[in-house]
Amino acid sequence: MDWHAQPQPFWRTHPAHWPDIWRRSIQARIVTGTLLMSTVVLILVGWVMMSQVTDGVLESRRTSAQAEAAAQLTALTNSINAADPATITQNLSQLVQSSNRAGLYDVVLMPTDTSGSTLIQQTGGVESSSVPHELQSSVSSDESKLFDTYTEINYDGQASAPGLAIGSQVRVNSTGERYEVYFLFPLTVQQEILDVVQRALLTAGLLLVVLLGAVAWLVTRQVVTPVRMARRIAERLAAGKLEERMQVRGTDDLARLAVSFNKMASNLQQQIRRLEELSRLQRRFVSDVSHELRTPLTTVRMAADLLHESRDQFDPMSRRSVELLQNELNRFEELLADLLEISRFDAGAAALDLEDVDLRDIVARVLENHETLRARKGCEVELAMPEPCRAQVDSRRIERILRNLIGNAIEHSEGRPIRISTATDEDAAAVAVRDHGIGFRAEEAEMVFSRFWRADPARARTTGGTGLGLSIALEDARLHGGRLDAWGSPGDGAYFRLTLPRRPDVTLSGSPLPARPADASRVVSEMSLVDVGAPYQKLTGGEEL
């Protein structure tokens, strides 16, 4: 692995990898969040500013247009009333044209519904459809007011333009006729001004978002770079490179963090080396003591065997002492053998003698060896081994594993039945042992494999266990490339699952047996087992496989 490899910027990575960058990179989340929040803020600020500018520009133009329209309406009214009543209809177009100011506004004059005329006058090529119907309704309903509204001004043969329409009524005093006059002010200049302001706001907003993103990236880089360096150094320390340290630059908080990290790494290095030395001395001590004890133990065993063979010639008290001596020597030899086996694992000297075997045959031998203990405990065994379970294993070590698992299950079964299951798939073979005894807590599932650990140290032992059985079983399973799992629940017993590769070139990816027993959700109080769907046969104390 290249410890010095730097993460690539997200713009250089494939889009499919962006979600992974989002999950792993604090810098990417901060920069993205800053860009999103700044964009939202700028959109809101731009909308408010644009609304205010638009209202200001349009309101200013509306005020000036109303004043201009009022003045022109007065002049047009005076001109109409001063004209000859007999020729007013013929001169109406001339009067309208005289009140128009080209480029500033156009005029549309149309008769009211009560005037009886259909003549419509307009200037500048403007179409009468430019006057909204709502404005016409307002003007026709009241002759004393000016009404205005924003509209779209349509021209003959030209593009339409935004505009402001202001209307009112004109009355001819001599004839009593009334006309509606509309002044159409184009807002092209105001629209251009608003377009310029909008482009300026958009450009400034985009630049500001980019600058904020760059600032966020630079600021977070100052913080994230030391954190990434600490992560890489931590990975190197975890890989065993205990001499790695962080670079310290400056005296700020990050520099003090680097100093503290380096001190922690130095302390860890010292402690690890001290523990390694202690562990090495401990392994050497266990190995040396185990080997040195074999010679005197052999001599004591020979003497004890002579005494045991002649025990019938002793008085009852001496005979009992000889039997106790024999039993304790047996336990001492088991402990010594376990210590020697542990020392071999610690030294890396353990090796496998592989052969193709059926795990069911090993289970049968182990149960036969525990026949006396099963009879004494009154423990019933149920087997779920429907099919051959073959694998290339070291049968001696696998038998030792199963001897520990089955012996512990019988010992802690409290007289309740135990269940032994086997299963295979294409790559793995598994054996599971289930009892319904005292069990253990979930947090003790890993501790059961610790050396000399016992779930209940005060419990009376009938099998003379050394406390090393499960730790040796775990090492044997690992030596095969397999695994040994434990599950337990107080009052609901324990469940151990041994999973082994069927061939030495196979890497385990699962197990054909579940990690938890099927009846794990309830406490078994009756002398029966829940059928898990596989056929099994029942063994009593006197039956044989």
Side-chain angles (χ1 to χ4, degrees):
M1 180 181 293
D2 185 8
W3 298 105
H4 301 280
Q6 298 289 336
Q8 291 185 351
F10 73 93
W11 57 82
R12 294 184 181 177
T13 59
H14 194 275
H17 297 160
W18 288 357
D20 295 334
I21 296 177
W22 172 265
R23 289 191 296 268
R24 296 196 310 265
S25 176
I26 297 177
Q27 187 176 19
R29 292 199 296 271
I30 292 177
V31 173
T32 305
T34 301
L35 291 176
L36 291 177
M37 289 186 292
S38 60
T39 301
V40 172
V41 171
L42 287 175
I43 290 175
L44 294 176
V45 172
W47 178 76
V48 172
M49 292 182 61
M50 195 64 195
S51 298
Q52 292 179 349
V53 171
T54 302
D55 292 343
V57 171
L58 294 180
E59 185 63 27
S60 175
R61 181 55 178 153
R62 179 170 175 267
T63 302
S64 63
Q66 286 179 342
E68 181 74 17
Q72 293 299 324
L73 183 63
T74 301
L76 181 61
T77 302
N78 294 333
S79 299
I80 291 176
N81 289 325
D84 185 3
T87 61
I88 190 171
T89 303
Q90 293 78 7
N91 297 330
L92 191 59
S93 175
Q94 183 179 358
L95 294 175
V96 170
Q97 292 293 337
S98 64
S99 63
N100 175 60
R101 288 191 178 183
L104 294 180
Y105 61 86
D106 290 298
V107 180
V108 176
L109 185 143
M110 59 182 65
T112 62
D113 294 338
T114 59
S115 65
S117 174
T118 60
L119 180 62
I120 298 178
Q121 302 290 335
Q122 61 261 7
T123 64
V126 68
E127 296 181 358
S128 60
S129 60
S130 302
V131 180
H133 295 289
E134 294 80 3
L135 180 62
Q136 294 182 32
S137 300
S138 300
V139 171
S140 61
S141 63
D142 192 342
E143 63 179 83
S144 62
K145 295 182 180 180
L146 280 175
F147 297 93
D148 62 79
T149 185
Y150 294 103
T151 184
E152 191 78 14
I153 302 177
N154 301 316
Y155 298 93
D156 291 333
Q158 299 181 14
S160 60
L164 175 66
I166 300 177
S168 185
Q169 290 188 18
V170 174
R171 181 181 179 86
V172 180
N173 295 329
S174 58
T175 62
E177 295 180 344
R178 288 182 299 170
Y179 296 90
E180 297 174 3
V181 181
Y182 299 97
F183 299 91
L184 302 177
F185 293 84
L187 300 178
T188 307
V189 175
Q190 287 73 21
Q191 182 65 47
E192 292 176 353
I193 294 174
L194 294 178
D195 291 341
V196 171
V197 173
Q198 185 176 10
R199 286 194 297 269
L201 287 176
L202 182 60
T203 303
L206 291 176
L207 290 176
L208 187 57
V209 168
V210 173
L211 290 176
L212 288 174
V215 170
W217 183 80
L218 290 174
V219 172
T220 54
R221 181 180 175 84
Q222 301 298 318
V223 178
V224 171
T225 299
V227 174
R228 288 175 176 170
M229 183 184 300
R231 175 185 59 81
R232 290 193 293 270
I233 297 299
E235 290 175 348
R236 297 174 193 175
L237 291 174
K241 300 180 179 181
L242 302 178
E243 69 282 354
E244 295 290 337
R245 297 293 183 271
M246 290 184 63
Q247 295 181 358
V248 180
R249 298 176 181 176
T251 58
D252 55 10
D253 293 335
L254 294 176
R256 290 197 295 271
L257 174 62
V259 172
S260 300
F261 186 92
N262 291 339
K263 289 182 179 179
M264 178 190 68
S266 298
N267 293 333
L268 286 176
Q269 182 181 16
Q270 295 176 4
Q271 293 293 334
I272 290 174
R273 288 179 175 175
R274 185 180 298 112
L275 291 174
E276 287 177 346
E277 181 65 19
L278 290 175
S279 178
R280 186 184 64 82
L281 293 175
Q282 181 186 23
R283 290 196 301 268
R284 182 174 180 180
F285 173 77
V286 171
S287 178
D288 292 345
V289 169
S290 301
H291 284 86
E292 291 298 330
L293 287 177
R294 293 191 67 85
T295 300
L297 179 61
T298 302
T299 304
V300 174
R301 165 59 71 184
M302 293 174 59
D305 288 342
L306 290 175
L307 292 175
H308 191 264
E309 291 175 358
S310 305
R311 66 185 182 279
D312 294 336
Q313 302 175 12
F314 300 151
D315 57 86
M317 184 175 295
S318 299
R319 185 166 57 251
R320 178 57 179 167
S321 299
V322 170
E323 292 174 352
L324 291 176
L325 175 63
Q326 188 76 4
N327 292 335
E328 293 303 317
L329 278 175
N330 291 335
R331 288 184 54 197
F332 187 74
E333 283 185 333
E334 291 178 6
L335 175 60
L336 189 59
D338 290 343
L339 290 175
L340 286 172
E341 191 65 26
I342 287 291
S343 66
R344 292 191 190 97
F345 284 121
D346 292 338
L352 294 176
D353 184 13
L354 298 179
E355 55 181 324
D356 188 15
V357 298
D358 190 339
L359 298 183
R360 299 184 303 172
D361 297 336
I362 300 178
V363 172
R365 290 200 302 269
V366 172
L367 287 175
E368 185 178 357
N369 294 334
H370 287 85
E371 187 71 28
T372 303
L373 178 61
R374 288 199 297 117
R376 184 168 67 250
K377 287 288 185 178
C379 178
E380 191 178 83
V381 178
E382 295 184 354
L383 301 179
M385 302 188 299
E387 299 176 353
C389 186
R390 306 197 69 86
Q392 296 180 23
V393 297
D394 188 332
S395 59
R396 179 181 64 87
R397 296 182 183 277
I398 300 305
E399 183 174 346
R400 180 166 57 192
I401 296 175
L402 296 179
R403 187 166 60 247
N404 277 288
L405 299 183
I406 296 175
N408 287 340
I410 297 173
E411 173 70 19
H412 299 90
S413 65
E414 304 289 336
R416 296 170 181 166
I418 66 171
R419 182 183 178 88
I420 304 174
S421 307
T422 61
T424 59
D425 56 23
E426 183 178 354
D427 296 325
V431 180
V433 180
R434 171 76 161 113
D435 69 76
H436 300 86
I438 59 174
F440 49 84
R441 296 188 299 274
E443 59 270 18
E444 296 175 341
E446 293 185 4
M447 297 175 60
V448 296
F449 299 108
S450 300
R451 298 176 183 181
F452 301 105
W453 185 86
R454 292 184 62 84
D456 186 3
R459 179 178 169 83
R461 297 184 297 179
T462 62
T463 59
T466 64
L468 295 173
L470 287 179
S471 61
I472 294 176
L474 180 62
E475 296 293 342
D476 281 331
R478 289 174 176 173
L479 191 62
H480 283 81
R483 57 181 300 169
L484 183 58
D485 303 305
W487 173 91
S489 178
D492 197 14
Y495 175 83
F496 288 85
R497 182 187 64 177
L498 172 65
T499 307
L500 301 168
R502 298 190 64 182
R503 298 174 302 277
D505 59 340
V506 173
T507 300
L508 288 181
S509 58
S511 178
L513 289 175
R516 290 167 55 95
D519 58 350
S521 61
R522 68 182 184 92
V523 177
V524 179
S525 58
E526 66 276 7
M527 296 295 292
S528 64
L529 289 177
V530 176
D531 186 2
V532 297
Y536 62 88
Q537 66 181 107
K538 185 177 293 184
L539 286 174
T540 60
E543 294 181 33
E544 295 183 358
L545 290 172

